[in-house]
Amino acid sequence: MPVEESIDLHAFTPRDVVSVVEEYLEAAARKRYREVRLIHGKGTGAQRASVRALLSRHPLVESYADAPPEAGGWGATRVTLKPPRE
């Protein structure tokens, strides 16, 4: 699957989402993206909570927040990755 600046997590089963996000963040960092968007949907908030639990402890993540309204609002999370080490 090609790595782009966003990923829609609806295509994955809930049990796979955390591992998919981990792999995606590593691939995005290799491509030197500084910001990515994770589309988890609004629903009950369970998917958002599991994604954010991972982001809060992931070593590549500098910060994260709700995406702006035009990019999904609280149905997506904007992630700022740490700058690559040279």
Side-chain angles (χ1 to χ4, degrees):
M1 171 170 47
V3 175
E4 298 175 352
E5 292 183 41
S6 67
I7 185 170
D8 188 342
L9 300 173
H10 290 99
F12 303 96
T13 63
R15 72 173 181 269
D16 293 333
V17 165
V18 169
S19 62
V20 167
V21 171
E22 286 179 314
E23 290 177 32
Y24 173 75
L25 292 174
E26 290 167 12
R30 283 192 302 274
K31 288 191 99 167
R32 297 186 176 272
Y33 289 146
R34 283 285 286 138
E35 190 172 284
V36 295
R37 186 169 54 113
L38 308 174
I39 304 165
H40 43 67
K42 295 179 180 175
T44 64
Q47 192 91 282
R48 178 180 187 259
S50 65
V51 165
R52 289 187 170 205
L54 166 67
L55 297 175
S56 70
R57 66 180 188 277
H58 200 285
L60 294 173
V61 175
E62 183 172 276
S63 64
Y64 60 91
D66 288 346
E70 66 277 3
W74 60 275
T77 298
R78 184 186 66 219
V79 181
T80 303
L81 299 173
K82 291 180 180 175
R85 293 184 187 167
E86 296 298 326

